[in-house]
Amino acid sequence: MSPSVPLQEMIRAIRSARTQCEERGVIQRECAAIRAQFRQADNGGRSHNLAKLLYVHMLGYPAHFGQMECVRMIASPRYSEKRVGYLGAMMLLDEKQDASLLITNSIKNDLSNSNQYIQSLALCTLACMGSAEMCRDLAPEIDRLLRASNSYIKKKAALCAVHIVRKVHDLGELFTKAARSLLTEKNHGVVHGAVVLITELCERNSETLERFRKTVPDLVQIMKGLVISGYSPDHDVAGISDPFLQVRILRLLRILGRNNEAASDAMNDLLAQVATNTDSTKTVGNAVLYETVLTVLDIKSESGLRVLAVNILGRFLLNNDRNIRYIAMTSLQKIVGTDHNAVQRHRGTIVDCLKDQDASVKRRALELSLALVSASNIRSMMKELLSFLSSCPPELRSQTASGIFNAAERYAPSQRWHIDTILHVLTTAGGDVRDETVPNLIQLITNTSELHCYTVHKLYRALLSDISQQPLVQVACWCIGEYGDLLLTGECQETEPVQVTEDYVLDVLETVLQSHMSSPSTRGFALTATMKLSTRITENVDRIRSIVSIYGSCIDVELQQRAVEYNALFKKYDHMRAAVLERMPVIEKNSQGHTNGETIKESQTVKVKPGEPQQPANQVCDLLDLLGGSEQPLQPSPALGSAAPPIPVSTPNTVGGDLLDLLGGLEPTPITPVATVTVYEKDGVTVTLSCEKQSDSGLTVTLTASNSTESDIRGFTLQAAVPKSVQLHMKAPSGDSLPARGTAKVTQMVVLNNPNKVNLKMRLRISYTSQGSAVQDTVQIDSFPGLGQ
Amino acid sequence: MRFLLLFSRQGKLRLQKWFTPLTDREKKKVIRDMMMLVLARPPRSCNFLQWRDLKIVYKRYASLYFCAGLEDKDNELLALEVLHRYVELLDKYFGNVCELDIIFNFEKAYFILDEFLMGGEILETSKLAVGVSMEEADTLQEEEKEQEEVGKTDKERFACGRGLRE
C-alpha cells in the first residue's frame, strides 16, 4: 500500500497531469488510498486525507464516501481535525443528506465548548447547512450564545440566528429580545449582525416590524456616528467609515420607514446628511449613496429629499464608470412609474446609453427608454429606437421590436406614421417579430382606407428588394392581392408611384410562391393574393388560372387544397368569383388589450430565444375563407395569464354560413368580458375562476393560479369534486409549476354538464410543493360568476 | 448572497461557497452557466449581469474570476466591495496572494472566507479582526500539533513517516 501523499504533493501531481485521462488516473489512485486510510484506525493523518478528498471534490469528482469521515472528524477532540471535518461537512453534506443529522449532537456539544474557535466552527457550520430540524433543536443554544459575553461569539450567533429564522420562520420570536439588546454594542461586527437579524425578523413578521420601529432613533444615532466620526483605521474603506454597516443600516431604515410617516420623518435629516456628505469618487461611496437613494425613494420622504435622490441618480447616469450607469438605470426603472416626470428629465442621457458598447448597459437602457416613451416624445424616441434596432445585439431584437410596436400602438401621431414604423421594423428585424404582428398590421392597413394606395406601393417596393423576411412578405402579398388595382393604376398621391404592368406584379407573386425562402404560410398568402388579382386585373386572367392549376398538385396539402378550390371557383362558380373576391370590409379591432400584450419583463440571459412561444398563424382554408388569409385567435400566452377564454381578433370567418351569405353577416361577434372571481388566496397562492355558459346545461370553467411569493412552487395540481348529478371533465392544465412573483400562471379548464340543473357547487383541492414542503388545501365554491346570465 | 465562486480563466473551479441548499446537479449547472457567462464578457465591460432571477456580480483579479450571485434586494456596488475585501484578506494572509496560493492552500481560503462571511451575509467588517481571528485559530492548531508531537515517542514518529521535527 503506497504511503499517503501529503496534500500539496497530490495537488502538484494532479496539476502536472497533461490529459484528462491522466488526471482521472491520479485521482482514482488517490481516492483508493484515501478510502483505505479512512478504514484504518486513527493515524494522525486524517485531516490531510479529508483535505485531499475535498480538493478532489472541488475538481468535480464524486466524494460521497467522505461523508462519514466528516462526521467522525467533527467528533474528534483535536482542533485541526474538527476544522477540516466541519469544512468537509459544509462542502459534502447538505440538509438533504441523512448523514447531516448525525452531526447535530456534535454541533450541540461544540456550541458549549470552552474554546471560542471550536464554538465558532459549530456556529458556522450550522449557519451554512443546518436543516430545519437541526435549527429547531439548537435554537435555544443560539439564543443563549447571543447573550454570551464574548463579542466574537455574539456576532457569529447573530448570523446563525438569521439562518435559523430563514429556515424556520416561527423561531423569530425567540430572538427578538436578544436582537434588540445587541444594537447597543460597541463592536461593529456585533452591531452588523444585529442589524441583519432585525432586518430578517422585520421582513418576516409585521408585528415584529411594528415593535422595531422604536429602534429608528438608535439606528439614526449609530449612522450619524459613522458618518461624522473621524478616521478609524479598523473600519475605514477609502475614507468612509464601515460602509458595510452603513449600507445595512440604511436597508433596515428603509424597511422600517416604508408606509410610516413618523419613522420616515425621523430619518429624513440623516438621509439628507448622508446623501450630501458621502464622497462619491470611489465605488464604495457610491455604494452607500445608492443604498441611500433606494431608501429615500421607498419611504415617505419629503419632496425635497426625493428630488435630491433623483438628482443623485442623474449624476450617476453621467458617471464614466459603466457599473454606476447600470445601477442608475436599474433604480430609475423602479421609479419610472411613480416619478415619471423626474425620470423624463434624464431621457437624453438614457437614450445615449443605448449606444454604449456594453450589453448589460444596452439592455437596461432599452427597458428604460421603452418605459419613457410618451405622446410628446414619440417621434424622436422612435427614431432612436429604430436606429437601435438596426444595430442592436440579436438577443435584444425581439424585445425591441415588441416594445416599438407597443409604443407605436399607444402613441402613434398619425396612421401613416404608424404604418411606416411597422414597415420599418419589418424590414429591419422581420425575423424577430411575433406572429401576431401580421394580422395586426393587416387590420391596421384595412382601417386606413385613405392610405391603401400608399401602403401597397411601399410594400411592393419592399418586396422587390427582399423576400426573405416572412412577416413582411406575408403582409405585402396580402396587400397586393387586395389593392393590386391601385398599384396598377400607376398613380399615387402620397408617394412616388411605380409603373408596373400586370405581368410584373404576377412575376413578383410567383417569385414568392416559388422561392425556397418562403415558408408554407407565406406561400399560402401569395397564392390567395394571386387569386384575388384575377378580379382586379383585366388581361392576364389566364396566367392566373394556369398558376392556380399547377398548385393543384402541389405536395403541400394546404396549398393543394387552396389551389383545387380556387380552380373550382374558376370553373363551376365563375359567376360568383367577383363577389367572393371582393374587397375586404373594415375589420373591427378587438377592444381588449394591446397587440403585443407583454409588459417589459426583466431581461434574461444571452442564450434566451427571442420571443415567447407563439401559435403559428394558421390559415384556415375554407371555401368561405377566401376573403381573409390572416386571421388567428389570440391564444393567451402564459405571460399574459388572462383568466378569460381566448379572445379572437375579430375575423370575418367567425360566422359560418354558406357561400351565398358571405356579403352579410361579416360583423364580428361581440365578445363580452367574462367575470372572474378569486376563490382561493392563501400564502401567496391565488386561484381565480371564470366561467362561460356553453349551452343550456353545459358550462366551461377556467381556473387560473398564480404565485406571488418569493419562491417557486412545483407540483401544483387541482382536483375538483361536484354534486352527484353533475358531470365533470377536467382538461389538462397548462403546467404544474408556478414561478415566483407571479411571472407566469397556470390555467386549467373544467367542463361541467348539469342536465338536472341542480344548484352547482364545486369543491376544489389545491396541492403543491413550496420550499420543499408539501401543502394541501381545500376550498368550496358555492357561486359561479356569470351563471346568472 | 446566494453563492460565491472563484474560477480561473481556463474554467477551473478554485473555490465554491453555497449559501442556499442546492443539489449537486443544480450546483454543477450554476457553475457551468456562470463560467460561460462571465468568461465570455469582453474586458472593461460592466461587472453586473442578470441571470434567472439573480444579479450576478463578478470581478477579475489577475487570473481569477470572483463571481457572486445576489438576490434582488442586495446592493451590487457593495458586493463589489465585498469581493475586494475578500481579496485583501487573502492578500494579507498569504502575503501577495496569487492563484497558486489559493490552489495549494484552499482550506485556508475557506477558513478566511468563513471568518468574513456567514450565511451569505458579512460577518466581520474589520480587516484587522479577521486577520487576528485567523492567526489565533492557526496558533491553536499549531499548539495542538506541537503538544501531540511532544507526546509521541520517536518510534511513533518514524512509523508515521514524518521524520524528526526540525
Side-chain angles (χ1 to χ4, degrees), chain A residues 7-8 11-12 15 44 51 54-55 57-58 60 77-80 83 87 90-91 94-96 115-117 120 123-124 127-128 152 155-156 159-160 166-167 188-189 192 196 203 234-235 237 242-244 247-248 251 283-284 286-287 290-291 322-324 326-327 358 360-361 364 602-603 605 607 741, chain B residues 12-18 21-24 27-28 33 36-37 41 44-53 55 72-78 80-82 85 100 103-108 110-111 114-115 118-119 121-128 132-134 136-138 140-141 144 148 160 162:
Chain A
L7 171 64
Q8 314 235 330
I11 297 180
R12 235 171 255 132
R15 280 170 61 78
L54 293 178
Y55 183 79
H57 171 76
M58 192 152 58
R78 291 199 200 120
Y79 177 65
S80 54
R83 226 180 175 190
L87 180 63
M90 286 192 268
M91 284 177 76
D94 58 33
E95 54 185 40
K96 300 197 184 82
N115 187 321
Q116 68 177 13
Y117 290 104
S120 92
L123 283 168
C124 193
C128 179
Y152 179 73
K155 72 183 186 205
K156 297 213 174 192
L159 288 184
C160 199
R166 283 184 187 153
K167 276 279 176 235
H188 281 225
H192 187 278
V196 176
E203 277 174 350
D234 255 6
H235 303 284
V237 180
D242 209 341
F244 303 109
V247 167
R248 272 333 286 238
R251 209 163 116 181
T283 309
V284 64
N286 286 323
Y290 177 40
E291 199 71 32
R322 277 213 177 93
N323 296 336
I324 311 280
Y326 181 91
I327 55 139
D358 186 276
S360 309
V361 173
R364 286 275 172 256
E602 274 305 300
S603 44
T605 69
K607 282 192 317 184
R741 294 186 218 108
Chain B
K12 286 256 157 74
L13 190 66
R14 298 298 176 207
L15 189 142
Q16 52 177 328
K17 189 78 187 177
W18 304 92
L22 289 175
T23 62
D24 264 343
K27 285 184 191 170
K28 285 205 161 78
D33 283 350
M36 214 163 38
L37 281 178
R41 300 278 282 183
R44 279 198 306 277
S45 45
C46 182
N47 291 104
F48 309 130
L49 291 174
Q50 190 76 23
W51 179 78
R52 295 200 192 159
D53 62 332
K55 303 196 262 205
D72 202 39
K73 38 201 170 121
D74 291 329
N75 184 326
E76 298 100 310
L77 291 177
L78 198 72
L80 275 179
E81 286 302 311
V82 167
R85 172 58 69 89
L100 284 178
I103 297 172
F104 282 95
N105 299 295
F106 69 95
E107 344 74 275
K108 296 284 165 50
Y110 274 103
F111 296 147
D114 286 336
E115 290 294 325
M118 199 202 264
E121 308 287 347
I122 299 170
L123 174 60
E124 178 54 65
T125 56
S126 155
K127 259 191 281 192
L128 218 61
V132 164
S133 314
M134 277 305 291
E136 291 189 0
D138 284 343
L140 181 63
Q141 195 166 339
E144 197 181 65
E148 287 172 7
C160 282
R162 291 245 205 97

Side-chain angles (χ1 to χ4, degrees), chain A residues 475-491:
Chain A
V475 176
C477 287
W478 191 92
C479 280
I480 293 175
E482 273 297 298
Y483 311 121
D485 47 332
L486 294 175
L487 194 61
L488 292 167
T489 56
E491 288 170 3

